[in-house]
């Protein structure tokens, strides 16, 4: 038979009560915080939990970036659509003007209308998004299209036909902007105004000047088969040179077509494609987020039903241990002597 | 002829004495029921032998107290001391690990290195979309500030724990010194009292057992019983703490005589060593006892704080969980200083000495000469990145983490863009150029090399951090298990000791009744003896 001393009983009972208290403490903490893993030591998979938490934090940031990029791209899509519509109207006007029966005075009136369109196009190309000139790409603190300084065309000296717009992009500074939409995939958020609008503006200028009665020298160096205005060109001697004027109007229709076909439509397609990439990235991020959330639910978050029942169980054990302790420690032979 | 009447009185008086001795012992037991270290006493009663007792038929001489026994089992005591040693180290290790793992919380209730690192890269990501935005640049500065704060706070907390462990070692060693000198004193008392061979110095032994228990809580010792009831106490490596009535005082010092230049600690404080001064005069001659001390509070503190060979030169060559975690944090810092600051110089940076940055800030200037991240004592960016060994040697501390700061405070000074002139004499930049930011963001998903002391890891920042918390987590759960096991085996050992030496009140009261009755009976026998004598006297 084992000898039982007083201190021994008290110690064992206290140990049991404290053990139970620890269990109650742990269970109540799970219930109140909602976490079953709070510190690295609470789990063997602390690294995985941290990984999921990092993923969630990154997904939030990337999603924010995607949201901003999406609105920047749809802003640009709106501009390119407006410009395309405008070019279609300019083409109609040019087709009318190309008719040999239209007299010089009417052509001059049409020129005014074309120049208004040019102004509008320049305003659109110089649009600001979030207070930044979006078509300047990285050179975004001043308008990408400026009136050429000091002078425009050699002839005339004044008036709309003397004004020439040129792309302001300093050589080498025309750097595209990119945004990371997932860990290592980035999407271009800017396009150079030069590649989108230069041909369209050149076409409108050539058309306007032709209708107004001025020839325009074109330099076939800017990618377009016809080239961009160089600033040269003299007045037509009318009516002698009417056929040359008409030919120039026809040529500018080709320029408009070229701008639409090679610049504006591809840009719209490209914007659409980039928005699609955002959608795909968004879907990937959504599923990453879902995986991480599910993972955390399984690994870190306490299931409240389980946590509460564990708490109750621990509570019962503690109560039982306390009752036993008070009963046993109160027993004394003195009561019977 | 025997005088039986006188014999009755004689036997009864002896019996009264003997029963009283037992009752007195019982009262002593009851009084000490809750005294730690007390071992219950029992009285060895034996029949009395007197010389020259009558011949022939002998009725005996009654009872006498043979010896008073102290019920203690040396093996049980040894087991108790061993388990107390284990519990002492398990508890202190677990305490520190709890505090270490608090620095790496998984719930987001406080910013950690992981969350600030992710936020910092997110802020760079945001800036990449709009590189000229001063608002977003401010955000990068703020998030960078959070990151350096997280890193230096975490590192300083770890270094602070090491300093604190050093201080605790001093106090614990003082306690050990006071315990060993008391044990030596008790050795003297016990051998003096027990010199006649029969006496047992019970009270002194109670106290000495208790002191040995307390000593075992501090560090692992071997207790060897010697002659005259004395014990000698030695460390694991055989160094005697108590021999006979002498004890040796240990010291804690960070300037031991056996190392001209002991390695630094995690903070500016140096590593301390537990030593014994053989010289004893003002000319010191230290013997290093640190490697020989295991177990107990002191062993636990050493295991957590780390032991560094005196010939080592770096704080990160030590073992111990604190050092293991701190080297991970410091390796991250050094990587940021090297990779990030190098990348900050731009994609086309020159690798030649006296670097040529290819990146540019919002004003078109090259980045800060001190990099993006810097530290106290930075003498400038080297072409191969930072940190330079010379800076470390000059700073006087062994780490960059504790003084890690941002080198820039002006949002415009973030080198987001790069020189676009292609090497022309006049640098050219665009305010909205974020091409250098892309390179910086790229570091987040790039595999990096982290290496310091015995720690070496290749992977991304995130993966390195995850490895760190997995390391902390497994150390903590190991410590939890150790403490649980040690606590239950200590309770078991204590229980076994109580089983042998503890006072049971039931037993004592039963004895009390038994011997009280015997006392009453003996007293009655004196009455009977008196009556018998009276009968004879009446005949006269």
């Amino acid at each position: 038979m084992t000898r039982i001393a007083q201190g021994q009983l008290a110690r064992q009972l206290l140990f049991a009560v404290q053990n139970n208290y620890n269990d109650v403490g742990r269970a109540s903490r799970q219930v109140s915080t909602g976490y079953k893993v709070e510190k690295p030591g609470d789990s063997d998979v602390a690294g995985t939990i941290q990984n999921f938490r990092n993923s969630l934090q990154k997904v939030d940031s990337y999603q924010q970036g995607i949201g901003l990029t999406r609105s920047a791209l749809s802003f640009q899509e709106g501009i390119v659509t407006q410009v395309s519509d405008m070019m279609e109207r300019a083409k109609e006007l040019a087709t009318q003007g190309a008719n040999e029966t239209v007299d010089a005075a009417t052509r001059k009136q049409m020129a005014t209308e074309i120049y208004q369109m040019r102004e509008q196009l320049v305003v659109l190309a110089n649009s600001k998004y979030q207070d930044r000139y979006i078509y300047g790409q990285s050179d975004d603190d001043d308008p990408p299209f400026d009136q050429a300084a000091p002078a425009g065309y050699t002839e005339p000296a004044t008036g709309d036909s003397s004004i020439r717009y040129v792309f302001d992009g300093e050589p080498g500074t025309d750097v595209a902007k990119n945004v990371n939409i997932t860990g290592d995939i980035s999407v271009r958020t800017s396009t150079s105004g030069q590649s989108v609008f230069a041909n369209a503006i050149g076409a409108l200028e050539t058309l306007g000047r032709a209708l107004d009665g001025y020839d325009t020298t074109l330099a076939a160096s800017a990618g377009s088969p016809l080239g961009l205005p160089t600033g040269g060109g003299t007045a037509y001697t009318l009516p002698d040179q009417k056929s040359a004027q008409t030919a120039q109007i026809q040529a500018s229709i080709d320029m408009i077509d070229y701008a639409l076909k090679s610049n504006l439509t591809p840009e719209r397609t490209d914007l659409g494609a980039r928005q699609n990439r955002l959608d795909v990235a968004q879907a990937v991020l959504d599923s990453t987020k879902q995986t991480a959330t599910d993972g955390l639910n399984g690994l870190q978050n306490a299931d409240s039903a389980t946590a509460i029942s564990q708490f109750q169980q621990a509570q019962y054990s503690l109560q039982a241990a306390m009752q036993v302790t008070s009963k046993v420690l109160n027993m004394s032979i003195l009561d019977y002597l | 002829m025997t005088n039986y009447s006188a014999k009755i009185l004689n036997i009864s008086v002896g019996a009264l004495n003997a029963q009283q001795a037992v009752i007195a012992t019982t009262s002593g037991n009851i009084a000490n029921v809750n005294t730690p270290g007390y071992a219950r006493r029992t009285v060895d009663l034996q029949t009395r032998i007197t010389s020259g007792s009558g011949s022939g038929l002998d009725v005996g001489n009654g009872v006498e107290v043979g010896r008073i026994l102290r019920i203690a089992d040396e093996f049980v005591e040894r087991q108790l001391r061993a388990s107390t040693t284990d519990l002492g180290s398990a508890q202190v290790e677990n305490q520190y690990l709890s505090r270490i793992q608090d620095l790496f919380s998984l719930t987001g209730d406080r910013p950690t290195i992981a969350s600030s690192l992710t936020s910092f890269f997110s802020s760079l990501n945001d800036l990449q979309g709009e590189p000229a935005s001063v608002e977003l640049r401010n955000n990068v500065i703020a998030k960078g500030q959070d990151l350096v704060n997280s890193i230096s706070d975490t590192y300083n907390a770890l270094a602070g724990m090491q300093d604190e462990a050093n201080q605790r070692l001093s106090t614990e060693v003082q306690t050990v010194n006071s315990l060993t000198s008391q044990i030596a004193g008790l050795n003297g008392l016990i051998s003096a009292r027990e010199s006649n061979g029969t006496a047992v110095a019970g009270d002194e032994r109670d106290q000495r057992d208790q002191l040995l228990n307390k000593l075992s809580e501090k560090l692992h010792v071997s207790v060897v019983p010697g002659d005259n009831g004395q014990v000698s106490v030695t460390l694991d490596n055989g160094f005697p703490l108590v021999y006979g009535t002498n004890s040796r005082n240990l010291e804690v010092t960070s300037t031991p005589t056996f190392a001209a230049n002991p390695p630094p600690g995690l903070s500016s404080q140096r590593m301390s060593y537990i030593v014994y001064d053989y010289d004893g005069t003002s000319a010191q001659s230290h013997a290093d006892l640190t490697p020989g001390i295991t177990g107990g509070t002191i062993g636990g503190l050493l295991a957590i704080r780390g032991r560094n060979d005196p010939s080592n030169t770096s704080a990160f060559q030590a073992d111990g969980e604190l050092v293991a975690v701190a080297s991970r944090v410091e390796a991250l810092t050094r990587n940021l200083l090297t990779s990030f600051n190098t990348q900050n110089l731009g994609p086309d940076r020159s690798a030649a000495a006296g670097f040529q940055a290819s990146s540019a800030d919002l004003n078109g200037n090259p980045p800060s000469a001190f990099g993006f991240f810097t530290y106290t004592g930075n003498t400038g960016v080297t072409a191969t990145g930072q940190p330079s060994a010379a800076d470390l040697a000059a700073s006087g501390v062994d780490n960059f983490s504790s003084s890690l700061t941002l080198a820039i405070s002006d949002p415009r000074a973030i080198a987001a863009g790069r020189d676009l002139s292609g090497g022309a004499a006049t640098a050219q930049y665009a305010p909205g150029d974020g091409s250098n930011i892309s390179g910086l963001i790229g570091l987040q998903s790039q595999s990096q090399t982290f290496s310091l002391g015995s720690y070496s890891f290749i992977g991304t920042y995130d993966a390195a951090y995850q490895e760190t918390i997995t390391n902390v987590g497994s150390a903590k759960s190991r410590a939890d298990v150790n403490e649980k096991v040690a606590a239950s085996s200590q309770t078991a050992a204590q229980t076994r000791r109580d089983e042998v030496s503890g006072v049971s009140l039931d037993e004592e009261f039963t004895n009390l009744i038994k011997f009280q009755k015997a006392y009453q009976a003996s007293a009655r026998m004196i009455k009977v003896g008196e009556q018998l004598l009276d009968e004879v006297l009446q005949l006269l």
Side-chain angles (χ1 to χ4, degrees):
Chain A
M1 198 187 73
T2 320
R3 219 185 135 261
I4 305 283
Q6 248 66 29
Q8 184 183 351
L9 259 185
R11 183 170 298 109
Q12 276 175 337
L13 291 167
L14 188 65
F15 187 72
V17 169
Q18 276 177 343
N19 252 349
N20 281 312
Y21 248 127
N22 274 331
D23 288 348
V24 169
R26 201 175 309 120
S28 66
R29 208 171 155 75
Q30 281 197 17
V31 173
S32 60
T33 60
Y35 292 118
K36 64 183 175 200
V37 178
E38 289 185 86
K39 302 283 156 58
D42 300 343
S43 163
D44 298 340
V45 288
T48 316
I49 291 176
Q50 184 66 51
N51 197 1
F52 282 140
R53 296 191 72 89
N54 284 353
S55 297
L56 282 182
Q57 212 182 338
K58 282 182 204 163
V59 165
D60 281 348
S61 154
Y62 289 137
Q63 280 184 334
Q64 196 184 329
I66 285 180
L68 292 173
T69 309
R70 199 191 295 281
S71 57
L73 292 184
S74 71
F75 178 79
Q76 292 177 43
E77 198 176 26
I79 289 175
V80 176
T81 310
Q82 280 187 55
V83 171
S84 301
D85 292 351
M86 205 190 297
M87 295 307 282
E88 294 289 353
R89 282 210 313 282
K91 193 180 155 189
E92 280 171 27
L93 216 55
T95 317
Q96 282 174 33
N99 199 325
E100 286 276 352
T101 57
V102 178
D103 61 20
T106 316
R107 280 185 172 172
K108 272 190 188 294
Q109 277 172 12
M110 285 178 166
T112 321
E113 206 169 329
I114 291 296
Y115 282 132
Q116 274 169 9
M117 283 186 190
R118 182 184 63 171
E119 293 304 320
Q120 217 177 330
L121 202 165
V122 168
V123 167
L124 286 170
N126 285 345
S127 311
K128 276 176 151 184
Y129 179 75
Q130 298 278 344
D131 218 27
R132 292 273 144 196
Y133 292 98
I134 199 162
Y135 285 104
Q137 302 222 85
S138 62
D139 188 12
D140 59 2
D141 59 342
D142 47 11
F145 286 95
D146 291 338
Q147 285 190 19
Y153 292 92
T154 43
E155 279 189 33
T158 54
D160 282 340
S161 292
S162 71
I163 296 168
R164 186 164 67 105
Y165 283 98
V166 290
F167 187 67
D168 177 38
E170 296 152 54
T173 62
D174 186 13
V175 182
K177 291 185 190 176
N178 294 289
V179 165
N180 277 40
I181 47 169
T182 59
D184 31 21
I185 297 171
S186 64
V187 160
R188 184 163 54 83
T189 60
S190 71
T191 315
S192 165
Q194 174 84 5
S195 66
V196 185
F197 301 119
N199 282 326
I201 292 174
L204 287 187
E205 258 172 32
T206 312
L207 175 61
R209 281 172 58 83
L211 289 169
D212 201 23
Y214 294 96
D215 183 25
T216 305
T217 314
L218 299 173
S221 62
S224 142
L226 297 162
L228 288 173
T230 60
T234 50
Y236 293 114
T237 326
L238 292 175
D240 299 354
Q241 285 189 308
K242 186 159 190 181
S243 59
Q245 186 189 20
T246 307
Q248 182 77 326
I249 293 171
Q250 297 284 9
S252 39
I253 292 175
D254 291 347
M255 289 172 80
I256 290 172
D257 277 340
Y258 181 82
L260 278 168
K261 184 168 65 71
S262 304
N263 300 141
L264 296 167
T265 312
E267 173 66 6
R268 276 168 79 175
T269 319
D270 194 48
L271 283 169
R274 277 183 272 156
Q275 280 171 321
N276 277 344
R277 283 180 68 196
L278 293 184
D279 290 342
V280 172
Q282 178 76 51
V284 170
L285 288 178
D286 282 344
S287 88
T288 308
K289 189 171 187 168
Q290 192 57 45
T291 313
T293 313
D294 288 351
L296 282 182
N297 274 335
L299 295 176
Q300 186 176 29
N301 298 343
D303 170 42
S304 53
T306 317
I308 287 169
S309 77
Q310 274 173 353
F311 172 69
Q312 280 170 343
Q313 225 169 337
Q315 211 181 2
Y316 291 143
S317 307
L318 176 62
Q319 278 170 352
M322 283 173 155
Q323 270 177 5
V324 168
T325 306
S326 72
K327 286 255 161 68
V328 170
L329 289 185
N330 268 328
M331 283 198 294
S332 165
I333 199 170
L334 282 174
D335 298 341
Y336 308 97
L337 293 178
Chain B
M1 203 192 92
T2 315
N3 179 353
Y4 285 107
S5 296
K7 192 137 198 171
I8 292 169
L9 285 177
N10 199 3
I11 289 174
S12 303
V13 169
L16 279 182
N17 266 334
Q19 316 301 351
Q20 266 181 329
V22 176
I23 291 170
T25 309
T26 303
S27 76
N29 282 343
I30 292 173
N32 283 306
V33 65
N34 289 324
T35 308
Y38 181 79
R40 74 196 161 101
R41 312 285 202 274
T42 57
V43 180
D44 220 1
L45 291 180
Q46 58 188 33
T47 49
R48 187 159 62 171
I49 302 169
T50 47
S51 57
S53 58
S55 58
L57 293 170
D58 186 7
V59 297
N61 295 299
V63 67
E64 67 177 358
V65 174
R67 299 196 317 159
I68 296 187
L69 297 173
R70 179 176 176 271
I71 309 297
D73 183 339
E74 179 50 33
F75 292 99
V76 171
E77 295 288 343
R78 191 172 293 177
Q79 213 171 17
L80 177 61
R81 282 196 295 268
S83 62
T84 308
T85 303
D86 290 347
L87 182 61
S89 62
Q91 273 176 338
V92 77
E93 284 182 39
N94 205 3
Q95 273 169 23
Y96 275 92
L97 280 163
S98 290
R99 291 169 57 192
I100 294 174
Q101 72 162 356
D102 281 351
L103 301 170
F104 301 94
S105 168
L106 290 170
T107 58
D109 56 340
R110 53 180 287 175
T112 60
I113 294 179
S115 65
S116 351
L117 198 60
T118 312
S119 300
F120 176 62
F121 276 110
S122 296
S123 74
L124 284 173
N125 222 15
D126 295 345
L127 180 60
Q128 190 194 18
E130 213 50 73
S133 159
V134 173
E135 191 186 325
L136 291 176
R137 281 167 175 265
N138 264 326
N139 191 35
V140 170
I141 302 254
K143 290 298 177 341
Q145 199 63 57
D146 288 349
L147 175 62
V148 297
N149 286 348
S150 291
I151 291 177
S152 60
D153 287 353
T154 305
Y155 185 87
N156 287 338
L158 293 167
M161 280 185 227
Q162 198 184 47
D163 292 347
E164 187 198 294
N166 278 334
Q167 280 166 17
R168 257 185 90 174
L169 275 178
S170 301
T171 15
E172 297 283 347
V173 164
Q174 276 168 22
T175 314
V176 166
N177 288 341
S178 124
L179 289 171
T180 49
S181 78
Q182 288 180 61
I183 291 167
L186 284 166
N187 265 348
L189 291 178
I190 289 166
S191 64
R193 266 199 65 183
E194 295 185 352
S195 56
N196 67 4
T198 52
V200 174
D203 297 342
E204 289 81 355
R205 279 177 179 266
D206 283 344
Q207 279 194 27
R208 192 179 61 187
D209 277 351
Q210 185 59 15
L211 291 175
L212 286 170
N213 260 339
K214 283 189 176 161
L215 184 63
S216 304
E217 197 186 312
K218 303 297 173 200
L219 74 181
H220 186 258
V221 288
S222 310
V223 178
V224 183
D227 303 334
N228 318 324
Q230 296 185 342
V231 294
S232 52
V233 179
T234 53
L235 291 178
D236 283 354
N237 62 358
F239 179 85
L241 288 174
V242 177
Y243 53 103
T245 55
N246 304 305
S247 66
R248 281 179 166 180
N249 273 353
L250 305 180
E251 290 172 36
V252 174
T253 176
S254 56
T255 51
T257 55
F258 48 77
N261 202 11
L266 296 177
S267 71
S268 53
Q269 285 186 25
R270 290 204 168 272
M271 271 278 182
S272 62
Y273 292 86
I274 299 177
V275 300
Y276 175 68
D277 184 6
Y278 274 105
D279 197 299
T281 64
S282 57
Q284 295 168 324
S285 171
H286 290 150
D288 188 6
L289 297 177
T290 322
I293 294 178
T294 55
T297 326
I298 295 180
L301 282 170
L302 286 173
I304 279 288
R305 183 205 71 162
R307 294 168 214 252
N308 211 345
D309 191 279
S311 63
N312 286 345
T313 51
S314 158
F316 301 101
Q317 282 167 302
D319 60 359
E321 186 61 21
L322 265 178
V323 178
V325 180
S327 34
R328 283 162 169 78
V329 176
E330 176 69 8
L332 172 66
T333 300
R334 292 189 185 187
N335 185 287
L336 280 176
L337 286 170
T338 311
S339 309
F340 207 90
N341 281 356
T342 310
Q343 186 65 47
N344 193 45
L345 298 178
D348 312 316
R349 63 193 169 274
S350 132
F355 77 97
Q356 178 75 49
S358 75
S359 55
D361 68 12
L362 201 47
N363 300 323
N365 299 320
S368 157
F370 302 107
F372 191 92
F373 296 109
T374 185
Y375 51 87
T376 310
N378 189 346
T379 53
V381 179
T382 58
T384 50
Q386 289 175 326
S388 80
D391 285 355
L392 194 60
S395 68
V397 291
D398 202 23
N399 67 81
F400 297 112
S401 301
S402 57
S403 67
L404 187 69
T405 47
L406 288 189
I408 47 179
S409 54
D410 175 11
R412 299 182 63 86
I414 295 172
R418 61 190 162 102
D419 180 8
L420 298 163
S421 69
T426 318
Q428 200 163 27
Y429 72 100
D433 179 17
S435 41
N436 197 35
I437 296 284
S438 313
L440 294 177
I441 294 170
L443 290 176
Q444 192 183 19
S445 46
Q446 239 171 54
S447 195
Q448 315 272 340
T449 304
F450 303 90
S451 167
L452 188 60
S454 59
Y455 164 66
S456 174
F457 185 82
I458 295 174
T460 60
Y461 290 125
D462 284 351
Y465 183 84
Q466 283 155 28
E467 190 274 336
T468 304
I469 61 169
T470 307
N471 179 293
V472 171
S474 60
K476 172 69 171 96
S477 50
R478 224 168 28 238
D480 272 338
V481 171
N482 283 348
E483 190 183 345
K484 265 186 198 147
V485 169
S488 76
S489 65
Q490 203 262 357
T491 308
Q494 190 81 51
T495 305
R496 266 194 298 282
R497 185 198 178 271
D498 285 344
E499 210 176 293
V500 177
S501 306
V503 175
S504 159
L505 287 178
D506 300 347
E507 189 181 72
E508 299 303 328
F509 280 120
T510 314
N511 278 343
L512 194 61
I513 292 163
K514 197 167 89 185
F515 288 98
Q516 219 178 342
K517 291 288 175 205
Y519 184 87
Q520 284 170 355
S522 301
R524 176 62 59 88
M525 281 312 297
I526 290 175
K527 187 80 178 165
V528 169
E530 186 208 0
Q531 281 170 351
L532 287 179
L533 279 174
D534 278 354
E535 293 292 326
V536 174
L537 286 173
Q538 277 171 15
L539 293 177
L540 296 173

